[in-house]
Amino acid sequence: MKLKSIIVEDEETSRDILKNYLKKYCPNVDVLGEAANVDEALVLIRNNDLDLVFLDVEMPYGNAFDLLDKVGDIDFETVFVTAYNHYAIEALNAHASYYLMKPISIDELIKAVDYVTEIKTKEEALQDQVLVPKTNSVNGKITIPQQDGFEVLNTADILYCKADDNYTEIYLNTDKKKLVSKTLKYFEDALSDSSFARVHKSYLVNVNEVTKYVKGKGGSVILSNGKQIMVSASKKSELLSYFK
């Protein structure tokens, strides 16, 4: 598969070397543009649907981590390219796919591209599976406390739950919303035997109501009512396990 990419590197010579290596040894990588600083990189990222960003750590007026913070929700893979090995932990925390040291080893570059290609190929395959939602056949009930007692809800009627500090907003397929003075973790535990997945620190979704998965670093799900909810990269595997 083709990988749409950009190179973010302040040194022109380094950009040229990487671009030439990619052209010669990694023909499935399509370099759409180059950036010498954070601002130029932001423009390229926002104007292109990217699969991969080759990212130098140290740049003028900001570094790679400043750039990723400004991007926000990252839906591409990153390969860090740097002369400094002390950024490895930060790169790992930023969910980097690969960490290349300068001068670039051709063998390591090929490994990095192969690794990203494998990730993207799996995402494509998983997306095809998730496009067909499972039947809404969740049985069971859950109670939510009220001042004069409690209300009983069918778990199958719950589309998703959203955290609101120490409260939880429960969204139903009847277009109604319930505000409950319980944390999202409470409902995650209470619904652990049902088909509910924690897809984000703020969201718990009924996987039977998922109609589509949109690929990305974490990606997002679209529910039966059209609501789109971001999926954290750390929660992606748990969600997709329901559809394997």
Side-chain angles (χ1 to χ4, degrees):
M1 66 182 299
K2 278 286 186 181
L3 297 176
K4 293 173 288 185
S5 71
I6 63 170
I7 297 172
V8 183
E9 163 69 65
D10 63 313
E11 296 179 359
E12 184 178 0
T13 301
S14 296
R15 292 199 304 271
D16 290 341
I17 290 172
L18 178 54
K19 186 168 58 176
N20 290 334
Y21 280 176
L22 290 170
K23 183 177 181 180
K24 186 172 182 179
Y25 300 104
C26 306
N28 66 316
V29 177
D30 186 11
V31 179
L32 302 182
E34 304 170 35
N37 55 55
V38 170
D39 290 339
E40 291 178 3
L42 274 175
V43 172
L44 287 175
I45 290 170
R46 289 169 177 167
N47 290 337
N48 292 282
D49 180 19
L50 299 173
D51 299 305
L52 172 60
V53 173
F54 292 95
L55 188 55
D56 187 18
V57 176
E58 295 193 345
M59 292 176 285
Y61 314 113
N63 60 28
F65 307 106
D66 297 325
L67 171 61
L68 295 177
D69 285 342
K70 290 183 178 182
V71 171
D73 293 322
I74 298 169
D75 57 2
F76 51 81
E77 302 300 318
T78 54
V79 171
F80 280 75
V81 185
T82 178
Y84 307 97
N85 59 15
H86 57 269
Y87 289 113
I89 298 299
E90 286 182 86
L92 182 64
N93 291 336
H95 302 290
S97 298
Y98 216 89
Y99 195 87
L100 290 175
M101 291 293 297
K102 295 178 182 177
I104 296 172
S105 161
I106 294 172
D107 288 340
E108 287 298 310
L109 176 61
I110 293 171
K111 285 181 184 178
V113 171
D114 285 348
Y115 183 68
V116 173
T117 301
E118 183 180 355
I119 291 172
K120 290 298 180 181
T121 301
K122 288 180 178 178
E123 283 181 356
E124 291 282 358
L126 287 169
Q127 183 186 15
D128 290 341
Q129 293 177 29
V130 176
L131 285 173
V132 181
K134 289 187 173 181
T135 308
N136 190 355
S137 59
V138 179
N139 295 314
K141 298 179 184 293
I142 190 172
T143 61
I144 57 174
Q146 296 182 330
Q147 277 191 327
D148 58 350
F150 58 83
E151 182 178 2
V152 179
L153 298 178
N154 291 316
T155 56
D157 293 338
I158 300 173
L159 290 173
Y160 66 96
C161 303
K162 180 183 178 183
D164 183 8
D165 291 328
N166 290 323
Y167 289 79
T168 297
E169 296 172 357
I170 300 177
Y171 290 80
L172 305 174
N173 56 17
T174 56
D175 292 329
K176 291 183 179 179
K177 180 179 75 172
K178 306 285 184 180
L179 182 64
V180 186
S181 58
K182 296 284 186 181
T183 64
L184 189 61
K185 181 66 167 64
Y186 172 89
F187 285 101
E188 183 181 11
D189 293 338
L191 295 167
S192 60
D193 292 331
S194 302
S195 296
F196 283 78
R198 185 76 173 262
V199 298
H200 187 277
K201 65 180 181 180
S202 300
Y203 288 97
L204 181 71
V205 303
N206 183 345
V207 295
N208 287 308
E209 295 294 334
V210 172
T211 61
K212 184 175 181 179
Y213 171 76
V214 182
K215 67 179 183 177
K217 185 73 174 179
S220 63
V221 291
I222 297 176
L223 303 182
S224 58
N225 67 342
K227 172 71 174 179
Q228 185 167 9
I229 296 175
M230 298 301 297
V231 178
S232 298
S234 60
K235 301 292 186 181
K236 182 177 179 178
S237 295
E238 178 185 346
L239 168 70
L240 295 180
S241 68
Y242 282 89
F243 297 92
K244 291 180 180 178

